[in-house]
Amino acid sequence: MGFVFRSHSKDEQAAAAKVTAGQPQQPRDPQAPKGRPTPKRSEASSQRRSLASTPANRKDAMKRQKVARRTDLAKQREALANGDERYLPARDKGPVRRFARDYVDSRFTVAEYFLPLAVVILVLSMINRGAFQTYVLLLWMIVILLIVVNSVITSVGLKRGLRARFPNENLRGAVPYALMRTLQMRRLRLPKPKVKRGEKP
């Protein structure tokens, strides 16, 4: 009886060996884990690229971050010059901020001459001749008053324009953003003005 079982087992092993020998042998990728199918060529190349792009150590990672940061800053500087919305800094992005810039750039504001006037008044204040200092102080007070009045008028008009143009948008920070822009001379403003004086934004 034992001989029958052994013979039967040997016959099964021989048949299995024949079936295995009849199947084509597929070479296994040396990088493929045992027991798993060989990855496709596209998948393998994708894995190699991802491994190649992974920084080897912390120093390489810091170097890549520095290069990426430098590239982003260069794109931002270029965008500030040409107005490309894709690369503008977050504070300048969006239609609300663009409208605020155009509103300011389309108008004459006293505040844009604040720095040149301040320099002139500072020079005049060094002249100590009788009542001249009183006139200089009076001139300084007039400039400040004009800037305040002009800023109030700009704020009211801009708020009205923003509510009409963007009734459902978040308008927070748009007015202070515009007032800060009025303090810059027109040719030095960034992003560069896109409208002419007197042109409707």
Side-chain angles (χ1 to χ4, degrees):
M1 183 68 72
F3 176 76
V4 174
F5 284 134
R6 281 196 297 274
S7 299
H8 184 65
S9 176
K10 288 180 180 179
D11 292 340
E12 288 179 350
Q13 290 177 0
K18 287 181 180 181
V19 172
T20 305
Q23 293 178 349
Q25 294 292 325
Q26 184 178 2
R28 188 179 68 84
D29 190 338
Q31 294 183 352
K34 292 183 179 180
R36 297 183 183 178
T38 303
K40 295 179 181 179
R41 183 176 297 178
S42 60
E43 294 176 354
S45 61
S46 177
Q47 289 176 0
R48 284 194 295 271
R49 281 196 300 269
S50 64
L51 288 173
S53 63
T54 303
N57 51 48
R58 186 176 179 182
K59 186 177 180 180
D60 288 344
M62 294 293 290
K63 189 182 294 183
R64 291 190 184 189
Q65 287 180 2
K66 193 176 292 185
V67 171
R69 194 180 304 117
R70 196 177 296 124
T71 303
D72 290 342
L73 288 174
K75 287 181 178 179
Q76 284 187 5
R77 282 194 295 269
E78 187 177 351
L80 287 171
N82 59 29
D84 190 344
E85 283 278 343
R86 295 174 299 170
Y87 303 114
L88 284 176
R91 66 184 182 123
D92 298 309
K93 278 186 177 180
V96 173
R97 296 302 172 96
R98 185 169 62 249
F99 179 83
R101 291 195 300 271
D102 291 345
Y103 186 90
V104 169
D105 296 337
S106 65
R107 285 162 172 75
F108 170 84
T109 59
V110 181
E112 65 182 287
Y113 299 106
F114 171 75
L115 288 179
L117 286 172
V119 172
V120 171
I121 292 172
L122 180 62
V123 172
L124 292 176
S125 65
M126 296 178 182
I127 302 174
N128 191 8
R129 289 184 180 177
F132 188 76
Q133 291 291 327
T134 304
Y135 297 131
V136 172
L137 180 60
L138 180 61
L139 176 62
W140 180 245
M141 296 299 294
I142 291 173
V143 169
I144 295 297
L145 181 62
L146 288 174
I147 291 174
V148 171
V149 172
N150 192 213
S151 298
V152 170
I153 294 172
T154 301
S155 299
V156 172
L158 178 58
K159 283 180 182 178
R160 189 181 298 119
L162 286 170
R163 291 193 188 110
R165 184 73 64 89
F166 309 101
N168 300 319
E169 293 286 338
N170 181 11
L171 306 178
R172 184 177 181 181
V175 173
Y177 171 79
L179 292 179
M180 287 298 296
R181 189 172 176 85
T182 63
L183 291 171
Q184 303 167 356
M185 297 187 70
R186 180 183 171 85
R187 62 180 179 177
L188 300 178
R189 291 172 183 169
L190 292 174
K192 295 287 186 182
K194 295 294 183 181
V195 296
K196 298 178 181 179
R197 292 192 192 274
E199 186 178 346
K200 190 175 181 180

